Amino acid sequence: MAETGPPPAETKPFAAEVSRLLHLMVHAVYSNRDVFLRELISNAADACERLRLRALDEPTLVAGDPEFRITLIADRERGTLAVEDNGIGMDREALADNLGTIARSGTRAFLDAAGDSGGALIGQFGVGFYSAFMVAREVEVFSRPVGAAEAWRWASDGKGAFTVEAVDPALAPARGTRVVLHLADDAKDYAEAATVERIVAQYSAHVPVPVVLRLSAEATKTLADGSALWRKPKASIDARDYAEFYHHVSGQYDDPAMTLHFRAEGRQEYSALLFVPSMKPLDLFHPERKGRIKLYVRRVLITDDVDILPPWLRFVRGVIDSEDLPLNLSREMLQTNPILAQIGKGATNRLLGELERIAKDEPETFVKVWDAFGAVIKEGLYEEPSRRDALLALARFRTTTSSDGLRSLADYVAALRPNQTAIYYALGASPEAILASPQLEGFARRDIEVLLLSDPVDAFWVRTALGYDGKPFHSVTQGAADLAAIPVAGDEPQPTADRPTDSAIAVLAARMKQALGDRVSDVRASQRLAGSPVCLVAHDAAADLRLERLLAGHESAPPRRAPILEINPDHALIGALAARAASSGDAAAAVDDAAFVLLAEARILDGERPDDPADFARRLDRLLAQSLG
Ligand code: ADP
Ligand code: MG
């Protein structure tokens, strides 16, 4: 059967996520709606840059119209604003896919983070094309893919469905896309040339494609010249220019915490304009761990989908523009290209150098960076051993003595106590949870600083790091804490008159061990306790209690060893139990119940549950009945 005419118009529902996003857009009480324009201009610029790349191989594609540009048409009479580009264009499928679903992981993360409100987040993260519905009651997209005879129209009122249909090519740009916004009554101001001019100057002055405003059929006014900011001399650029360009490349509207702009001229020649955000990108901990640096070759955008920087710098945004790479790099070649690898290494060196400088010269800025991205940078501690020392020098920690601030390992080592030879750390879910651990008491009593490691990544690097400045890392729950050599701060507590003798403690420990069986691998007197009667520590051969728990269940996990229960000879309860253990009959039987209850107590303080809650309850009840009876 012969084709007869174009396919009919097709109406499709938005993907569920899009509907949610649109709902947020329309209902958000968000004051700065101007951001929709930079999203549309960004898309138009992307479309031009993608065609610029394709035209390298096929120059005829752009032969009739080689100058890329973005044209804005504000029509006050009609109440419309159009954003037009002569970029790559979209066909029927592309329109339905790109403007009907959500492809970006960042936008999906946005939806997850936004919950039902979203208003606050809308000002901070760009949500792309759909932000047009903040100001438009209807959006029409006319598009004609490069080299195609047919043109398409996409239209929607943003209320759940969109339509795609073939359209008379005369209504579409000769090449590329025109997005026409039919402005809502309260947004008619965006049809004013002056408003458009102001917004472009404020938000889009440095997109790498020229932006012009059409004033009449003949006259246009250039609002942005489309030059590559990263190639301009630093002296000609101010912080506002940088911030605005950062918004364009990152799709994030915070101000960069750090800006690094340089031109490398050694073995590889390239320009780099790199930013460290001040706000965490929403997909920072997405399992893909992808970076988003835009790779240019001699001003042509090649991709933003290749990892130039290591994954532990994936929060860095910006542009790297190489003079040396060939323009016709395939994806596979990009993954393994040695020039690109060298550029990545060089840029990483520069970034670390700048972070070191800021750590020294602008400590407040550095703390902000570390608060936002320290957990990511620390991944480098075990992924890139050759950078470990540099990264350890940058690392900042909450510690038992840091109060609200952060401490470096250099600070830590400078404050070592007499005879202290290790850097002590404690792992836990949060600094607060760690601070409540009984294992820290003996350290506090000796004024020994302990690193509070509460990022999930900490358990991994701390195991492989050899140490800092010759001092090994040592967990407070690891093996025997050799604290005896380190003097107690302040007055040595006077041994109480009824402190049990060492041999009485040994008898008690043996009795408890016998009662608990293989639930513990040992019961012994502790140096790390002060106010608490008991705590758990890892088997001497194991690294750390919490780490063992984290690894448990993983295939590669070493066999778990029962922990050691440490008892505090200075605690009145332990004293009383030692006295019981020395007697015989019923009096001593209570020691067994107490052993189980104390083991459960130690587990609870570690954030665990008693092994056998029913047994725990029974024994606790029996002890209470005895003491109250
Ligand atoms: P993003 O730009 O982050 O991918 P958007 O929601 O802004 O997300 O746009 C979605 C997709 O729609 C783009 O990735 C692109 O494929 C397509 N698109 C949007 N505007 C244009 C345009 N002017 N020309 C060509 N494609 C476009
Ligand atoms: Mg976009």
Side-chain angles (χ1 to χ4, degrees):
M1 215 176 78
E3 289 274 334
T4 51
E10 198 184 352
T11 299
K12 289 188 170 184
F14 284 117
E17 302 174 305
V18 177
S19 292
R20 260 196 70 208
L21 186 62
L22 286 170
H23 185 85
L24 285 178
M25 293 283 98
V26 175
H27 292 94
V29 196
Y30 177 62
S31 53
N32 188 6
R33 299 188 297 177
D34 295 358
V35 295
F36 81 89
L37 188 53
R38 64 176 152 191
E39 293 292 340
L40 297 182
I41 290 178
S42 268
N43 285 351
D46 292 348
C48 292
E49 296 204 283
R50 283 165 63 198
L51 181 54
R52 179 144 61 198
L53 177 62
R54 265 191 63 189
L56 291 174
D57 285 340
E58 285 177 80
T60 52
L61 287 179
V62 297
D65 181 13
E67 302 294 332
F68 289 102
R69 91 194 77 77
I70 299 163
T71 308
L72 307 179
I73 307 137
D75 188 329
R76 182 196 295 168
E77 262 88 81
R78 290 207 178 81
T80 59
L81 172 64
V83 179
E84 180 172 318
D85 64 71
N86 56 351
I88 197 150
M90 285 178 277
D91 63 12
R92 185 189 185 95
E93 282 70 44
L95 282 166
D97 289 350
N98 296 334
L99 309 184
T101 60
I102 289 176
R104 270 203 302 192
S105 63
T107 306
R108 198 160 293 125
F110 172 91
L111 275 173
D112 293 343
D116 291 329
S117 63
L121 282 181
I122 288 171
Q124 300 171 28
F125 297 93
V127 292
F129 171 79
Y130 302 107
S131 56
F133 288 98
M134 286 198 289
V135 298
R137 57 182 163 73
E138 192 195 359
V139 178
E140 286 181 289
V141 180
F142 298 91
S143 197
R144 183 159 164 186
V146 60
E150 303 82 32
W152 305 95
R153 174 180 176 270
W154 177 104
S156 175
D157 61 2
K159 296 217 172 76
F162 62 88
T163 304
V164 190
E165 63 192 329
V167 73
D168 178 357
L171 295 175
R175 173 186 91 213
T177 304
R178 181 190 311 125
V179 178
V180 182
L181 309 182
H182 298 268
L183 296 164
D185 287 340
D186 64 352
K188 291 279 195 260
D189 197 35
Y190 295 109
E192 301 287 339
T195 308
V196 172
E197 211 172 311
R198 172 184 62 76
I199 299 176
V200 173
Q202 192 175 350
Y203 295 124
S204 303
H206 299 293
V207 292
V209 175
V211 181
V212 303
L213 178 65
R214 182 170 302 158
L215 300 170
S216 67
E218 308 81 44
T220 57
K221 177 174 184 185
T222 300
L223 303 186
D225 66 4
S227 62
L229 185 71
W230 59 92
R231 294 191 153 224
K232 292 187 176 168
K234 276 166 94 162
S236 69
I237 308 171
D238 66 23
R240 263 205 50 206
D241 298 325
Y242 279 133
E244 190 256 286
F245 182 74
Y246 160 76
H247 297 152
H248 167 69
V249 286
S250 69
Q252 215 173 287
Y253 301 151
D254 53 332
D255 280 339
M258 181 179 117
T259 300
L260 177 62
H261 186 190
F262 65 92
R263 186 171 172 80
E265 276 170 345
R267 238 178 336 156
Q268 307 305 337
E269 230 176 279
Y270 61 94
S271 309
L273 177 48
L274 302 172
F275 302 96
V276 173
S278 48
M279 222 163 55
K280 290 181 198 175
L282 290 170
D283 55 355
L284 189 59
F285 291 102
H286 197 269
E288 277 189 326
R289 305 167 80 223
K290 278 205 82 60
R292 296 235 307 266
I293 300 291
K294 293 194 172 186
L295 175 67
Y296 284 75
V297 174
R298 297 184 286 288
R299 286 214 54 192
V300 178
L301 176 63
I302 303 294
T303 179
D304 63 358
D305 201 32
V306 60
D307 289 321
I308 308 174
L309 297 174
W312 50 271
L313 286 174
R314 61 184 173 276
F315 54 88
V316 176
R317 295 288 181 264
V319 164
I320 289 181
D321 188 354
S322 160
E323 298 296 328
D324 308 306
L325 284 167
L327 277 162
N328 58 346
L329 275 167
S330 70
R331 276 205 61 75
E332 295 67 40
M333 283 159 71
L334 275 173
Q335 305 293 353
T336 56
N337 186 281
I339 297 180
L340 195 58
Q342 279 175 29
I343 291 176
K345 220 171 140 194
T348 302
N349 290 341
R350 296 291 286 256
L351 279 165
L352 286 183
E354 183 65 5
L355 285 169
E356 278 159 22
R357 189 191 67 73
I358 288 191
K360 203 158 63 170
D361 300 345
E362 301 166 36
E364 277 167 31
T365 307
F366 184 76
V367 165
K368 268 194 223 143
V369 171
W370 190 263
D371 270 337
F373 303 114
V376 178
I377 296 174
K378 282 188 284 189
E379 293 171 12
L381 286 170
Y382 64 91
E383 284 183 353
E384 226 168 299
S386 65
R387 298 209 185 259
R388 193 184 282 152
D389 288 343
L391 295 180
L392 280 179
L394 277 181
R396 296 291 184 273
F397 300 93
R398 302 217 176 274
T399 75
T400 46
T401 61
S402 67
S403 57
D404 286 340
L406 291 176
R407 303 260 295 163
S408 68
L409 290 175
D411 296 333
Y412 184 103
V413 167
L416 285 185
R417 298 273 293 136
N419 300 331
Q420 182 184 349
T421 53
I423 296 172
Y424 290 103
Y425 68 87
L427 294 166
S430 69
E432 296 68 37
I434 302 172
L435 282 171
S437 325
Q439 287 94 337
L440 289 180
E441 292 167 357
F443 293 85
R445 206 163 79 174
R446 290 173 175 80
D447 252 355
I448 302 172
E449 186 171 12
V450 177
L451 308 180
L452 309 176
L453 303 185
S454 57
D455 287 321
V457 57
D458 288 326
F460 297 95
W461 70 260
V462 80
R463 197 163 51 125
T464 50
L466 299 175
Y468 176 83
D469 197 12
K471 319 283 181 298
F473 292 101
H474 209 99
S475 163
V476 298
T477 72
Q478 175 184 10
D482 200 7
L483 299 184
I486 302 173
V488 167
D491 294 333
E492 183 84 35
Q494 292 304 307
T496 41
D498 47 359
R499 187 188 198 277
T501 61
D502 287 353
S503 67
I505 287 293
V507 170
L508 172 64
R511 168 112 201 190
M512 289 173 76
K513 165 72 180 121
Q514 196 184 14
L516 295 172
D518 55 14
R519 289 174 187 82
V520 294
S521 57
D522 198 8
V523 178
R524 70 183 177 206
S526 182
Q527 294 169 345
R528 71 191 101 206
L529 290 169
S532 299
V534 291
C535 72
L536 282 173
V537 302
H539 186 278
D540 288 350
D544 176 89
L545 213 51
R546 191 174 134 82
L547 182 59
E548 281 217 305
R549 281 187 209 121
L550 261 172
L551 295 176
H554 283 268
E555 267 173 53
S556 63
R560 251 182 104 169
R561 322 241 197 159
I564 294 167
L565 183 67
E566 290 198 346
I567 58 178
N568 179 2
D570 292 320
H571 196 281
L573 174 56
I574 299 299
L577 284 173
R580 288 282 187 113
S583 58
S584 57
D586 277 359
V591 172
D592 296 350
D593 280 343
F596 277 90
V597 169
L598 287 172
L599 174 61
E601 173 184 316
R603 289 176 61 90
I604 291 167
L605 285 172
D606 273 354
E608 301 267 299
R609 288 161 49 85
D611 274 331
D612 181 348
D615 177 71
F616 165 68
R618 211 160 35 238
R619 291 178 191 273
L620 182 60
D621 292 348
R622 201 148 60 204
L623 287 174
L624 286 173
Q626 279 167 22
S627 72
L628 298 173

